[in-house]
Amino acid sequence: MAGVAACGSVSSIKAVWETRIRRNREELEEQRRRTVGGGATGRLGVSVWEDRAALARLKQKLQTEDGRLILRIEQEEWKSLPGCLVQLSQVQEWQIHRTGLLKIPHFISSFQNLLVLDLSRNGVTEIPKQIGKLTRLRELLLSYNRIQFVPEELSGCESLERLELAMNRDLSKLPNQLMTLTKLHHLDLSMNNFSIFPECVVALPALQWLDMGGNCLQHLPEDIHRMQKLHTLWLQRNELERLPENITRMDSLDTLVLSSNQLRDIPPLMEGMSKLRFVNFRDNPLTLDVTLPSRMVEDDEDDREMFGREFMHMYIQESRKRAYAVLNMHCVNQTSDESSD
């Protein structure tokens, strides 16, 4: 009987502990559910609070200039832009500089009133396709970033007048669809990696100002004269060895900078470019050594730059003189040979 009692006692104790363990597990599970539920609610509350704080901070960055609402952030750390920014969709201009911004948010398409998007001097690597929905955008300024690719959707920005993509280093191509930007008159592609002059650039009907200095261009397009409205062309620090003859048909061109290339000669037909006021051929391995008169040589570097047009004309004249001298010598030698016969 004692053994039976002991056995019954052990069974009873075991049942008690199993019950306690089960209840403890249930309590822990319930506590876990409450913690998880409360945590989600807590995080939601924190998220709402963070959005409100971010929105309040963004509102402090709003300024009104000339009747235009501007979001201006400079020299602060904003590597990303919060989604609550869409609540400020009435903003007409973004000026976000030196913030370390890494990405243009896809919700940029919500800013239908945007006229100027200036994100120069950041770390932006990509232009989102959604940007093509900004049909009122006039200026897109993305110089000094890390952009390697321009999407064809940018052609949807039909009001675009100014596009700056200088110093993105690895940028080397533009989509042909950009030729449909009929209002684009200012284009800066300097200090990139273009080895071929983009076809779409030649086809831009309203283009007036173009900077492609500091690239790897070896040739200019033979139909460069199609840019009839272009008045300023910067091509310094490239690898150009010659100029196409049709450059003389660019009737609106008044500024042409060709310093630090590989040009061997100046086309004689350029003498007839009457509207050309400022031209620069410095630091090219030109065949002829032409020196300006001493009255034109000044100590000030900027003053010497102003005589590029005079240098061009003197070079062409000297080139003609030497050509005539060679021709005359040939004629004399030919006459002498005939006389001896």
Side-chain angles (χ1 to χ4, degrees):
M1 293 297 292
V4 174
C7 182
S9 176
V10 170
S11 297
S12 177
I13 293 172
K14 183 179 178 182
V16 169
W17 276 105
E18 285 180 345
T19 301
R20 288 180 179 178
I21 291 171
R22 185 177 67 253
R23 287 178 179 175
N24 187 51
R25 285 177 177 173
E26 290 174 353
E27 289 175 358
L28 288 174
E29 182 65 21
E30 179 64 23
Q31 185 178 359
R32 188 188 67 80
R33 285 197 296 267
R34 289 178 180 178
T35 301
V36 171
T41 304
R43 284 196 297 274
L44 181 61
V46 170
S47 177
V48 171
W49 182 86
E50 287 178 344
D51 282 350
R52 289 176 180 174
L55 189 60
R57 188 180 174 196
L58 286 168
K59 287 181 177 179
Q60 292 177 354
K61 306 298 179 182
L62 294 179
Q63 300 178 15
T64 302
E65 294 181 6
D66 300 325
R68 182 183 295 182
L69 188 60
I70 300 173
L71 174 64
R72 180 173 286 124
I73 307 174
E74 296 184 351
Q75 297 185 345
E76 298 181 16
E77 187 172 339
W78 289 76
K79 292 185 178 180
S80 62
L81 296 173
C84 63
L85 183 57
V86 297
Q87 298 183 47
L88 304 177
S89 59
Q90 71 274 21
V91 173
Q92 296 171 288
E93 182 171 339
W94 288 15
Q95 289 189 9
I96 303 177
H97 306 149
R98 299 180 186 274
T99 68
L101 186 69
L102 299 176
K103 186 177 181 180
I104 302 175
H106 289 178
F107 60 71
I108 188 70
S109 58
S110 300
F111 289 81
Q112 291 297 308
N113 294 318
L114 202 60
L115 302 177
V116 177
L117 181 56
D118 185 355
L119 303 178
S120 303
R121 299 184 181 277
N122 285 291
V124 177
T125 59
E126 179 185 4
I127 302 176
K129 296 180 179 180
Q130 290 82 357
I131 201 167
K133 297 181 181 180
L134 302 181
T135 57
R136 298 182 62 192
L137 188 67
R138 297 177 188 171
E139 299 184 17
L140 177 58
L141 313 178
L142 290 169
S143 295
Y144 292 86
N145 278 279
R146 299 174 185 173
I147 294 167
Q148 300 181 20
F149 175 76
V150 176
E152 62 184 50
E153 284 79 6
L154 183 59
S155 61
C157 300
E158 56 189 32
S159 300
L160 199 62
E161 300 175 359
R162 187 183 187 101
L163 176 59
E164 295 189 358
L165 294 167
M167 196 61 179
N168 279 280
R169 293 195 179 100
D170 294 327
L171 185 63
S172 61
K173 295 180 181 179
L174 292 181
N176 284 334
Q177 288 82 355
L178 296 192
M179 68 176 63
T180 61
L181 296 175
T182 58
K183 297 182 179 180
L184 189 65
H185 62 76
H186 179 108
L187 178 59
D188 190 347
L189 298 174
S190 61
M191 296 180 286
N192 286 298
N193 198 31
F194 286 90
S195 59
I196 298 176
F197 202 96
E199 293 182 12
C200 64
V201 173
V202 181
L204 290 170
L207 194 62
Q208 300 178 24
W209 191 98
L210 173 63
D211 190 347
M212 290 201 69
N215 279 279
C216 309
L217 296 176
Q218 297 181 354
H219 306 283
L220 294 180
E222 295 298 328
D223 59 348
I224 194 171
H225 61 287
R226 291 171 58 194
M227 296 188 286
Q228 285 294 319
K229 294 185 178 181
L230 195 70
H231 60 67
T232 300
L233 179 57
W234 294 79
L235 293 168
Q236 73 282 4
R237 298 191 306 280
N238 277 284
E239 301 171 12
L240 299 172
E241 296 182 359
R242 58 175 291 272
L243 298 177
E245 290 189 2
N246 280 330
I247 199 170
T248 62
R249 298 172 60 186
M250 300 181 72
D251 297 331
S252 299
L253 197 63
D254 62 27
T255 298
L256 176 61
V257 181
L258 292 160
S259 56
S260 300
N261 276 278
Q262 298 298 318
L263 296 173
R264 303 290 297 173
D265 275 306
I266 300 175
L269 288 175
M270 289 186 69
E271 193 175 38
M273 299 178 70
S274 58
K275 287 191 177 181
L276 197 58
R277 291 290 176 264
F278 182 84
V279 62
N280 192 323
F281 288 96
R282 293 191 61 171
D283 300 319
N284 278 277
L286 294 171
T287 303
L288 303 180
D289 186 11
V290 175
T291 304
L292 289 169
S294 58
R295 63 181 176 81
M296 293 184 178
V297 178
E298 304 289 343
D299 292 334
D300 189 272
E301 192 76 10
D302 292 335
D303 288 340
R304 288 201 297 270
E305 293 288 343
M306 297 308 295
F307 293 104
R309 186 168 176 267
E310 285 73 12
F311 173 83
M312 181 185 75
H313 286 295
M314 285 189 61
Y315 188 97
I316 292 173
Q317 291 170 9
E318 182 65 23
S319 179
R320 285 204 181 104
K321 286 180 183 178
R322 298 196 182 192
Y324 290 148
V326 171
L327 180 61
N328 288 336
M329 182 63 70
H330 176 73
C331 291
V332 169
N333 290 337
Q334 189 175 10
T335 302
S336 175
D337 291 340
E338 289 176 355
S339 299
S340 62
D341 290 340

